[in-house]
Amino acid sequence: MSRAHQYHQPNAPNSYPDDPDSDIEIDLQELGPRADHEGGQLAHQSQGRNNNGRGDHDGPIPLRNLRSGVYRSAGRRTRRFETNSTDTNTEAAADFHQEAGREDSSESYNVGDATPLLNDDTQVQTPRGRSGWFGRRFLLPSYFSKRSGYVNIDANDGSLEEKQKLGVPRSISVGQYPPPRFPPNAVSNAKYTPWGFLPRTLYNEFSFFINMYFLLVSLSQVIPQLRIGVLWSYIVPLALVLTLTLGKEAYDDIARRRRDGEANKEPYTILRLRDNSKDPRPRKNGRAKAMKSRKKLVNTSHHRLDAIVEEEEDVGQNDVVLSNIEVDEIRIRSRDLKVGDVVKLGKGQRVPADLVILQSHTTESATSIVASVGKDIARSMSASSLGELKVETSTSTSITASEQVAMPENLQPVSDGSVIGETFIRTDQLDGETDWKLRLASPLTQTLDPREFTRLTIIAGKPARAVNEFLGKVELSPRTATHFDQGTALDQGQIPVSTTTLTAPLTIDNTAWANTVVASSTTILAVVVYTGAQTRQALSTSSSRSKVGLLELEINNLTKILCILTLTLSAVLVGIQSFYTKPDRKWYVSVTRFLILFSTIIPLSLRVNLDLAKSVYAWFIERDHQMPGAVVRTSTIPEDLGRIEYLLSDKTGTLTQNEMDLRKIHVGTVSYANEAMEEVASYVRQGFSNPPSIDSQQAMLVTPSSLLNTTSAAGTTTRTRREIGSRVRDVVLALALCHNVTPTSEEENGHTITTYQASSPDEIAIVRWTESVGLRVIHRDRHSIALQSVDSGRIAVRVRILDVFPFTSDGKRMGIIVQFLQGAESSASASTELGEIWFYQKGADTVMTTIVAANDWLDEETANMAREGLRTLVVGRRKLSALQYADFTSSYKEASMTLQSRDANMAQIIKSHLENNLELLGVTGVEDKLQDNVKSSLELLRNAGIKIWMLTGDKVETARCVAISSKLVSRAQHIHTITSLHTASRASPTAASDTLSLLAANPDSTALLIDGDSLSYLLTNYRHAFISLAVLLPAVIACRCSPTQKADVALLIRSHTKKRIACVGDGGNDVSMIQAADVGVGIVGKEGRQASLAADFSITQFHHLTKLLLWHGRNSYKRSAKLAQFVIHRGLLISVCQTVYSIATHYEPNALFRDWLLIGYSTVYTQFSVFSLVLDRDVDEALANLYPELYKELTPGTSLSYRTFFVWLFVSIYQGTLIQYLSEYLVGSATDGRLLAVSFSALVINELVMVAMSVTTWHWIMIASILGTAALYVGTVPFLGSYFDLAFVWTWGFVWRVAAILAVSLIPPYVIRVVGRTLRPPSYRKVRGV
């Protein structure tokens, strides 16, 4: 709980998880030499040095970089820290953008992961000479070096693993360019690097058996004994397949890089701190020159550690003259941001990197932060910022600069918002939480002149994944006389010279992580501490992976069967040949030649056809007018859209719009909603539109007691109506006071409008509702609230804030104690005096039921609202006398001073003095607005057999309400809630197993609601039992999930069920989950496109997902399955003909169809007709949506299974055998050109007719392709004289033989198909009524 002056402060910074391995729990006093305080000043003098210059390492251990080759000259390090790391870096402070390319300007000495967390005062002398130069230039490992400055690890220091676990902090000089050791601040969703593209793609391609098989076949043609036909007929098809596949992968990855480039080119404003004394000439084209100099430094030929060593040689020799520093604003791209840059951000801007906030100002006061830097240096040297820096702590005490050295961890800023440096950020794109987060600038930096930023040093921990944890500190180095020119106010004795280093702690409250958004109307200045791959967002995101569709894996298995079939057939033919004749070749040569002859059984063109088909499906998706903005980013897995069995969805921004609206209010006897809110507004006008008093021209302020005396103007209302009106006014007043909302004014189109800032959108929704019914929050600060009557425009209520008890996830309620002012409207009036003291509280019904007085309607009404999916808040109040409040204050203060069980003691005092028998005022129902058509979409997906999981970082109550309102959980399903299971298991070891037993009692009608801690506990201790049960449930809602947990759940479902899962989200916190899924779907969010860029498919609305799966996904899978069957059938057909021909020629491995006939058969003569099957469809879109059960039939993979494969195998054997046997029988010669003409013509026409027999819905392109292919074949016959007997082709003998063969080949399969459809019609024929 918090006192009045803490109402908008976050929780104490020392509340970290109890993780023994956490590197956040580092005692700063244990990691380095302790500072010696004398006279309130920090003495930078080393302790315990010995004669040879070695420091005493028996004391506290400084963290260092233990990697070989990163050590530095200890003597130089001593000088660096004795000058406090910021005063001496002249070049970097003067112009880090303009001069970074010069070798003598690389003195950004204290930025790096090798810097100790605390100042290292150990002085070690560096030996000069050859060994020192050699060691520095060639960077010998520590075990080769004899330099005394290196750190020795002994038994007292602990193991190397333990030191690495602690992590390596970094020290950052603000506004100064760092050495090029940190990653660039670039977003990258690309799967490949330019140098890794070919190795990775070739590996992926040849991991498919079919490609490896044809690679071996192609290589075999180099051997003369194995060569069959010309070499190019085998090499060219394989090269074509690889070229098309790699080209498509390259195209997709280039498109990803282009989209990443758009995000990386987003412009940002940074402050450039330039020393004008170094180059007084005006700079032109500063941004271009700055970027050029940066690149020059990064690309310098000498080792970057050399620059670090050289920069340290000049430490202490160049002091920055503060009066010569100019502060300019320049615009650079996001990817050009570097560690140490000072970034300027405003409302609505995305945070481009992990930042530490230095200053925050309201928009009005920050219109020209840099321009307000005065020319008089004395203005920034006032006692308030140096000698008497005051920082208000949690106990309202002030400390001076001398005491600031050991500033307490619970540092709290002072009162005024502009001075406090507070701002709100939205983190829903990072952690999924909808509440706005309050962030603060450190009091040490909030009032600094921007030119003094060069005196700041930020010491931060190593990059980490934990988005809610941060530990660091900020140091303000002392001013010295060298900071000023001669003749300044310093020489006149007007400005004190500081000799003290001021230090303040940094916590999560002082940060803004990448991908968050500035939500409040403030302008902030922040320094970059982590960039690119080291940001919290990037560390919580898994790397992109190459995804392979399930259909391709199934086809890969089928090709292995075909290979076994080919090998068996070859061995059998060679074995039979050995019985009849004496072969003139070795048996293994004959087997290999047969394998090459039968290689068409494994059709190489299958991959080409499927890849081209995927491109067609992507074209259909992107040009669907009912899905505007849809983008296919991974075109290799569209068939998986038709096989989804589990859908994992985010909540915020995906299912909901994250816009709250108060829909209903109940006051005990009457419920108001929709149009009835007008009656509430009339009651508010009666009570708060106060007329001027008799004695004064000013209106009187309203108090709860005065509301009781309010009557209608006519005085004719009934007693019941007066009571209802009084209750309505009381609950509206309570809602207008009990919150943490701050109103702000903004200019829009020349008009001043009032906006609200708060950590929770629920709070803003309630305050907006009170404004809509006539009572506006016009002012709010730490000490007071003013309410304005919308009707009269006058101040109606003024209160003094005495205490605020903020909302917590455990308490699930918030309260406030206020004292009403009474008298005239103006706060400056002498008639205004302190009046009644009231305690207001609102919270979840689960906790407020035991706090409010007994009643007979609360449980029923909250249940009704919950069934409607509304988020309920129960509102109550209690009047306190002055004596009661004084008694509470005394007890509460005493409890806050206890050292053991402080929180429990404070909560007990609140409960005993305040939270009992509250007057129940009413219940509110807030709706989290859903995305368009979410309810119908979820119902369609559920009817399609898809199990839906909702994974969110939001609160349990919020997730429950959304699950109900969106119909994710139906009315017939019971919600089984599991929370705080880890804590419960400590008290009862069987708690987890008992919970799982209850859940398993009725899994078909039970939905699970579980929080992140309980989920983590179950996955750790009951992994198999939990997931085996959870995958059977119709719906699962997981709350408080971190991005990593979301990805882990997706991977666990994949590995356990072996089913296809899809993940859909809109925020950066969903990227890991999306990339872990078989199919990742990103929704273009309001605040960013991170999820969209990382996803396989991008859409703009959640309801587009139904069409993406049920229509496009279903068609893609069925079409690819049919296409694959025909390609396999086409290859089997010609291989069976070759087998029959080999038998007829005494089992000799000679080719029947050579060269062009072999290639032309699978390309120009059959390709277009077979590929036109990608346009086929069995039902139209309306029927697919009307009968979503059709989708359920596809998930087992029945369209292309072992059953259908063997059916087509037998059909191919039947047709191929008859075609070749009848050709030889009717023609009578096995070597004549007549045989080739009959058999090849029958093959081509047979394939065209089979395609026509398989079409379900005709498309004009299909008709044109079949007829056009037939005409093309007839037109090319005259050019096949080297293969055919053309004289025989143009006779009736040729025609009737081909016709007879086709009749025997085609009629039986067609009859069988018709009979089968009649006896067992497929589902699509049933719904079509055919």
Side-chain angles (χ1 to χ4, degrees):
M1 297 299 177
S2 175
R3 303 290 289 177
H5 56 276
Q6 296 175 276
Y7 82 94
H8 47 13
Q9 305 304 337
N11 296 332
N14 56 357
S15 57
Y16 296 107
D18 297 332
D19 183 4
D21 296 329
S22 176
D23 48 2
I24 299 301
E25 297 182 343
I26 300 176
D27 188 352
L28 298 184
Q29 300 299 331
E30 297 176 1
L31 299 182
R34 298 181 181 272
D36 183 24
H37 302 269
E38 292 186 13
Q41 297 181 358
L42 182 65
H44 293 283
Q45 299 177 358
S46 60
Q47 303 292 330
R49 299 173 185 165
N50 52 24
N51 294 331
N52 62 0
R54 293 182 182 269
D56 186 2
H57 294 290
D58 294 334
I61 303 171
L63 290 179
R64 302 182 187 276
N65 194 333
L66 300 180
R67 294 171 295 182
S68 63
V70 191
Y71 304 106
R72 307 186 184 180
S73 172
R76 294 163 187 155
R77 187 191 307 117
T78 303
R79 295 199 306 271
R80 166 162 55 103
F81 282 98
E82 287 178 349
T83 54
N84 293 292
S85 306
T86 51
D87 296 331
T88 60
N89 194 354
T90 304
E91 293 297 324
D95 194 355
F96 69 94
H97 290 298
Q98 301 286 348
E99 306 293 341
R102 291 166 29 183
E103 184 176 355
D104 61 350
S105 66
S106 60
E107 297 99 46
S108 297
Y109 44 83
N110 67 337
V111 186
D113 288 344
T115 306
L117 187 62
L118 296 180
N119 291 357
D120 185 1
D121 299 323
T122 304
Q123 195 173 38
V124 183
Q125 297 184 5
T126 305
R128 298 290 180 180
R130 189 176 191 85
S131 62
W133 176 88
F134 185 85
R136 186 177 75 228
R137 292 298 178 187
F138 292 94
L139 302 171
L140 291 177
S142 58
Y143 46 80
F144 286 142
S145 176
K146 300 298 184 182
R147 295 174 59 185
S148 60
Y150 289 0
V151 177
N152 294 323
I153 302 175
D154 52 27
N156 296 329
D157 289 334
S159 65
L160 177 61
E161 290 77 12
E162 292 175 350
K163 287 181 173 292
Q164 291 174 339
K165 185 186 299 184
L166 291 175
V168 181
R170 60 179 59 182
S171 180
I172 302 166
S173 293
V174 175
Q176 303 179 32
Y177 182 56
R181 67 178 58 190
F182 302 120
N185 191 52
V187 177
S188 178
N189 291 292
K191 292 182 180 179
Y192 309 102
T193 59
W195 52 88
F197 174 76
L198 277 178
R200 287 186 59 185
T201 51
L202 289 176
Y203 174 81
N204 292 336
E205 288 304 309
F206 287 113
S207 63
F208 285 98
F209 177 80
I210 186 173
N211 288 341
M212 179 58 69
Y213 178 82
F214 271 95
L215 175 64
L216 296 177
V217 169
S218 300
L219 294 177
S220 69
Q221 296 304 290
V222 179
I223 304 174
Q225 292 84 355
L226 301 180
R227 183 174 300 172
I228 300 176
V230 294
L231 182 62
W232 64 265
S233 63
Y234 292 90
I235 298 295
V236 171
L238 179 63
L240 178 62
V241 170
L242 294 178
T243 301
L244 290 177
T245 305
L246 269 63
K248 188 166 65 65
E249 282 290 317
Y251 177 82
D252 290 343
D253 212 52
I254 291 173
R256 294 188 194 98
R257 290 184 177 274
R258 289 176 178 172
R259 291 187 291 268
D260 291 340
E262 296 176 3
N264 294 329
K265 291 178 181 178
E266 187 176 357
Y268 285 91
T269 300
I270 67 170
L271 301 189
R272 181 179 60 179
L273 307 178
R274 186 176 62 186
D275 188 352
N276 202 31
S277 65
K278 295 294 180 182
D279 187 4
R281 295 172 298 175
R283 308 276 182 169
K284 294 184 180 181
N285 196 14
R287 176 183 176 277
K289 188 172 182 180
M291 296 305 102
K292 183 179 179 180
S293 63
R294 281 185 166 178
K295 292 180 179 179
K296 183 178 179 181
L297 179 60
V298 173
N299 296 328
T300 185
S301 60
H302 66 280
H303 198 282
R304 61 187 184 186
L305 292 180
D306 294 342
I308 299 173
V309 175
E310 292 169 2
E311 70 179 31
E312 293 176 351
E313 294 177 351
D314 297 329
V315 172
Q317 301 176 7
N318 300 308
D319 286 323
V320 177
V321 180
L322 186 62
S323 60
N324 293 324
I325 293 180
E326 292 185 358
V327 182
D328 299 329
E329 293 186 3
I330 62 173
R331 301 275 285 177
I332 67 173
R333 296 171 295 188
S334 173
R335 69 183 181 189
D336 295 325
L337 289 173
K338 305 293 182 182
V339 172
D341 283 350
V342 179
V343 185
K344 179 180 178 182
L345 297 173
K347 181 180 180 181
Q349 278 193 282
R350 182 183 67 87
V351 178
D354 285 358
L355 310 177
V356 166
I357 299 174
L358 301 178
Q359 293 184 0
S360 176
H361 304 271
T362 59
T363 304
E364 294 82 1
S365 64
T367 52
S368 59
I369 294 177
V370 178
S372 65
V373 179
K375 295 182 179 180
D376 186 4
I377 191 62
R379 184 181 309 173
S380 63
M381 304 300 154
S382 62
S384 61
S385 63
L386 248 184
E388 295 293 333
L389 175 65
K390 293 184 178 181
V391 183
E392 186 174 344
T393 66
S394 60
T395 57
S396 300
T397 61
S398 299
I399 57 179
T400 62
S402 62
E403 299 168 330
Q404 184 67 22
V405 177
M407 186 171 292
E409 291 185 0
N410 58 350
L411 178 71
Q412 298 289 352
V414 291
S415 59
D416 181 64
S418 179
V419 178
I420 293 174
E422 57 183 36
T423 187
F424 284 98
I425 62 173
R426 286 197 295 268
T427 64
D428 53 320
Q429 298 292 309
L430 179 67
D431 56 19
E433 296 188 14
T434 57
D435 294 354
W436 290 8
K437 304 297 189 304
L438 178 66
R439 292 294 184 259
L440 306 169
S442 173
L444 191 61
T445 62
Q446 173 64 21
T447 57
L448 279 181
D449 189 310
R451 290 177 296 180
E452 297 188 79
F453 285 168
T454 55
R455 297 170 51 212
L456 292 175
T457 300
I458 304 294
I459 298 179
K462 69 169 185 177
R465 288 185 178 181
V467 296
N468 295 319
E469 297 175 2
F470 178 74
L471 188 64
K473 67 177 181 178
V474 57
E475 293 179 350
L476 180 64
S477 63
R479 295 188 182 89
T480 62
T482 56
H483 280 95
F484 307 98
D485 288 332
Q486 298 295 326
T488 61
L490 178 66
D491 299 325
Q492 304 168 12
Q494 298 176 3
I495 300 176
V497 178
S498 172
T499 59
T500 301
T501 296
L502 303 181
T503 305
L506 296 175
T507 67
I508 186 65
D509 303 325
N510 308 116
T511 63
W513 298 142
N515 211 30
T516 59
V517 178
V518 180
S520 55
S521 301
T522 55
T523 298
I524 67 173
L525 299 179
V527 60
V528 178
V529 291
Y530 306 113
T531 54
Q534 293 183 348
T535 61
R536 259 48 173 189
Q537 169 69 37
L539 291 174
S540 299
T541 302
S542 58
S543 58
S544 300
R545 63 185 180 93
S546 299
K547 296 183 179 181
V548 179
L550 180 59
L551 182 68
E552 292 196 31
L553 297 178
E554 293 172 343
I555 291 175
N556 196 48
N557 292 331
L558 296 181
T559 56
K560 293 177 182 178
I561 296 177
L562 292 175
C563 180
I564 295 174
L565 178 64
T566 304
L567 182 60
T568 303
L569 183 60
S570 301
V572 169
L573 291 178
V574 172
I576 296 176
Q577 181 189 26
S578 62
F579 283 102
Y580 288 93
T581 61
K582 184 178 181 179
D584 55 353
R585 302 184 182 94
K586 299 292 185 179
W587 67 268
Y588 51 84
V589 175
S590 298
V591 170
T592 305
R593 287 178 61 87
F594 272 122
L595 286 174
I596 297 172
L597 286 174
F598 298 149
S599 61
T600 53
I601 292 181
I602 306 173
L604 179 62
S605 61
L606 179 58
R607 291 293 309 281
V608 178
N609 281 273
L610 290 178
D611 288 342
L612 292 176
K614 296 175 194 296
S615 300
V616 174
Y617 306 149
W619 189 89
F620 286 149
I621 293 173
E622 292 181 345
R623 283 157 181 77
D624 191 327
H625 298 296
Q626 297 180 9
M627 297 171 53
V631 179
V632 178
R633 306 198 189 281
T634 304
S635 58
T636 59
I637 55 173
E639 297 91 355
D640 279 5
L641 292 171
R643 308 281 295 277
I644 301 300
E645 296 191 48
Y646 290 91
L647 176 66
L648 277 59
S649 173
D650 179 42
K651 179 189 73 68
T652 307
T654 303
L655 298 178
T656 69
Q657 302 179 29
N658 197 23
E659 295 180 3
M660 308 299 174
D661 187 17
L662 195 149
R663 306 289 296 176
K664 181 180 288 189
I665 183 171
H666 197 283
V667 294
T669 56
V670 183
S671 180
Y672 297 95
N674 302 324
E675 293 80 6
M677 292 299 181
E678 289 294 332
E679 187 174 350
V680 175
S682 66
Y683 287 134
V684 173
R685 284 194 295 269
Q686 293 174 12
F688 294 96
S689 298
N690 39 12
S693 63
I694 299 175
D695 299 331
S696 174
Q697 293 302 318
Q698 296 179 344
M700 301 299 292
L701 295 175
V702 177
T703 65
S705 298
S706 65
L707 287 177
L708 294 175
N709 301 323
T710 301
T711 58
S712 62
T716 58
T717 56
T718 63
R719 178 180 178 182
T720 302
R721 187 171 179 81
R722 287 197 299 272
E723 291 178 352
I724 294 175
S726 178
R727 283 194 175 190
V728 169
R729 286 187 286 271
D730 287 340
V731 74
V732 172
L733 177 61
L735 294 174
L737 294 175
C738 188
H739 55 75
N740 64 353
V741 180
T742 302
T744 60
S745 298
E746 294 182 353
E747 289 284 339
E748 282 192 9
N749 300 325
H751 300 283
T752 301
I753 61 173
T754 300
T755 59
Y756 299 106
Q757 300 175 4
S759 62
S760 172
D762 300 60
E763 299 268 65
I764 297 178
I766 292 175
V767 172
R768 283 177 177 168
W769 177 81
T770 62
E771 180 181 3
S772 69
V773 296
L775 195 60
R776 177 187 293 124
V777 180
I778 195 65
H779 171 75
R780 168 72 185 261
D781 58 25
R782 292 192 315 143
H783 306 292
S784 63
I785 300 176
L787 306 181
Q788 180 189 53
S789 171
V790 176
D791 184 55
S792 64
R794 296 178 176 178
I795 301 297
V797 179
R798 288 186 183 274
V799 299
R800 176 190 173 198
I801 301 175
L802 302 180
D803 288 274
V804 174
F805 312 100
F807 178 89
T808 63
S809 57
D810 294 330
K812 300 179 182 179
R813 60 192 182 277
M814 72 91 59
I816 186 172
I817 300 178
V818 297
Q819 187 171 26
F820 284 85
L821 276 63
Q822 55 190 17
E825 160 188 322
S826 174
S827 61
S829 174
S831 61
T832 301
E833 58 186 22
L834 299 178
E836 308 164 1
I837 299 177
W838 287 83
F839 169 62
Y840 290 98
Q841 191 172 54
K842 66 182 180 184
D845 59 284
T846 54
V847 297
M848 293 295 291
T849 302
T850 59
I851 295 176
V852 299
N855 60 88
D856 57 356
W857 60 271
L858 178 59
D859 293 339
E860 180 181 357
E861 188 57 34
T862 54
N864 292 336
M865 290 187 181
R867 279 191 291 270
E868 298 177 22
L870 301 178
R871 303 164 68 166
T872 58
L873 284 177
V874 179
V875 186
R877 69 176 182 177
R878 180 177 182 178
K879 187 175 183 180
L880 303 175
S881 65
L883 183 61
Q884 288 175 320
Y885 178 70
D887 184 33
F888 162 74
T889 303
S890 176
S891 301
Y892 189 75
K893 183 177 181 180
E894 181 180 353
S896 65
M897 301 300 291
T898 59
L899 298 179
Q900 295 183 352
S901 304
R902 176 183 299 177
D903 294 339
N905 294 336
M906 294 169 68
Q908 182 60 36
I909 294 298
I910 295 173
K911 182 177 181 180
S912 60
H913 287 76
L914 303 176
E915 295 180 342
N916 55 79
N917 292 322
L918 295 187
E919 177 188 354
L920 177 59
L921 296 179
V923 180
T924 63
V926 177
E927 178 189 38
D928 192 352
K929 292 183 179 179
L930 300 175
Q931 295 281 0
D932 297 338
N933 302 319
V934 163
K935 296 180 181 179
S936 59
S937 299
L938 290 177
E939 184 179 1
L940 274 175
L941 296 174
R942 190 165 47 245
N943 292 336
I946 300 175
K947 293 182 173 63
I948 304 172
W949 290 40
M950 185 173 74
L951 309 180
T952 177
D954 221 331
K955 298 185 289 291
V956 174
E957 293 79 7
T958 304
R960 179 193 296 271
C961 294
V962 171
I964 296 174
S965 62
S966 64
K967 305 302 180 185
L968 175 63
V969 178
S970 64
R971 290 176 176 253
Q973 293 174 353
H974 166 69
I975 300 179
H976 183 79
T977 305
I978 302 177
T979 57
S980 304
L981 185 59
H982 194 184
T983 303
S985 297
R986 294 175 182 173
S988 175
T990 62
S993 57
D994 293 342
T995 300
L996 293 178
S997 299
L998 291 174
L999 190 62
N1002 194 8
D1004 294 334
S1005 60
T1006 302
L1008 174 62
L1009 176 62
I1010 186 171
D1011 64 357
D1013 291 338
S1014 301
L1015 178 63
S1016 178
Y1017 179 78
L1018 288 174
L1019 293 181
T1020 303
N1021 300 282
Y1022 300 88
R1023 187 182 191 90
H1024 185 267
F1026 171 73
I1027 195 62
S1028 299
L1029 183 59
V1031 295
L1032 301 177
L1033 302 177
V1036 176
I1037 304 101
C1039 318
R1040 295 295 188 188
C1041 286
S1042 66
T1044 304
Q1045 279 184 317
K1046 292 183 178 182
D1048 290 343
V1049 170
L1051 293 173
L1052 182 59
I1053 297 176
R1054 282 181 55 201
S1055 61
H1056 181 79
T1057 62
K1058 309 300 181 184
K1059 306 293 185 182
R1060 297 282 103 174
I1061 69 168
C1063 293
V1064 55
D1066 74 313
N1069 61 311
D1070 303 317
V1071 172
S1072 295
M1073 174 181 69
I1074 287 173
Q1075 293 179 340
D1078 296 301
V1079 177
V1081 181
I1083 297 178
V1084 180
K1086 294 181 179 180
E1087 312 302 339
R1089 299 187 300 167
Q1090 289 75 23
S1092 171
L1093 293 175
D1096 304 309
F1097 301 89
S1098 174
I1099 56 179
T1100 57
Q1101 293 288 332
F1102 180 83
H1103 69 269
H1104 293 165
L1105 184 64
T1106 57
K1107 186 170 187 180
L1108 185 66
L1109 298 183
L1110 272 60
W1111 175 245
H1112 290 290
R1114 185 176 183 276
N1115 286 340
S1116 298
Y1117 171 63
K1118 289 187 69 68
R1119 289 166 174 172
S1120 288
K1122 183 178 289 189
L1123 177 63
Q1125 289 169 345
F1126 264 93
V1127 174
I1128 293 174
H1129 168 263
R1130 184 177 62 189
L1132 283 170
L1133 204 61
I1134 196 171
S1135 297
V1136 172
C1137 291
Q1138 174 67 53
T1139 302
V1140 175
Y1141 175 76
S1142 297
I1143 295 174
T1145 56
H1146 307 288
Y1147 306 100
E1148 286 293 329
N1150 297 322
L1152 172 63
F1153 305 113
R1154 294 174 179 268
D1155 305 334
W1156 170 250
L1157 294 184
L1158 189 63
I1159 296 176
Y1161 171 73
S1162 58
T1163 55
V1164 295
Y1165 295 146
T1166 58
Q1167 173 62 30
F1168 299 111
S1169 57
V1170 171
F1171 189 74
S1172 68
L1173 291 173
V1174 299
L1175 302 175
D1176 193 17
R1177 64 185 186 194
D1178 53 359
V1179 295
D1180 57 22
E1181 185 178 350
L1183 285 177
N1185 291 329
L1186 185 61
Y1187 299 99
E1189 294 78 8
L1190 293 172
Y1191 183 89
K1192 188 187 304 184
E1193 296 179 349
L1194 304 183
T1195 53
T1198 54
S1199 295
L1200 182 61
S1201 60
Y1202 289 114
R1203 175 182 174 275
T1204 59
F1205 168 75
F1206 283 110
V1207 168
W1208 279 96
L1209 177 62
F1210 291 137
V1211 171
S1212 301
I1213 294 175
Y1214 168 78
Q1215 291 183 332
T1217 302
L1218 285 180
I1219 289 174
Q1220 186 60 32
Y1221 175 77
L1222 292 178
S1223 297
E1224 295 177 2
Y1225 178 78
L1226 296 177
V1227 174
S1229 175
T1231 59
D1232 191 50
R1234 296 183 178 185
L1235 174 63
L1236 287 180
V1238 173
S1239 62
F1240 190 79
S1241 299
L1243 276 177
V1244 172
I1245 299 175
N1246 180 86
E1247 192 67 17
L1248 297 180
V1249 176
M1250 286 292 293
V1251 170
M1253 289 169 50
S1254 300
V1255 172
T1256 305
T1257 303
W1258 283 95
H1259 190 280
W1260 69 268
I1261 294 180
M1262 303 169 74
I1263 299 174
S1265 63
I1266 294 175
L1267 297 180
T1269 299
L1272 178 64
Y1273 175 69
V1274 173
T1276 58
V1277 167
F1279 302 96
L1280 302 178
S1282 59
Y1283 305 103
F1284 296 168
D1285 184 352
L1286 296 181
F1288 174 73
V1289 169
W1290 306 114
T1291 63
W1292 282 106
F1294 169 81
V1295 174
W1296 74 261
R1297 286 177 175 84
V1298 172
I1301 293 172
L1302 291 176
V1304 177
S1305 172
L1306 293 172
I1307 293 178
Y1310 177 76
V1311 172
I1312 295 175
R1313 175 174 296 186
V1314 172
V1315 173
R1317 287 180 176 179
T1318 303
L1319 298 179
R1320 299 181 59 184
S1323 298
Y1324 74 88
R1325 294 181 64 87
K1326 294 179 182 178
V1327 299
R1328 292 178 60 181
V1330 295

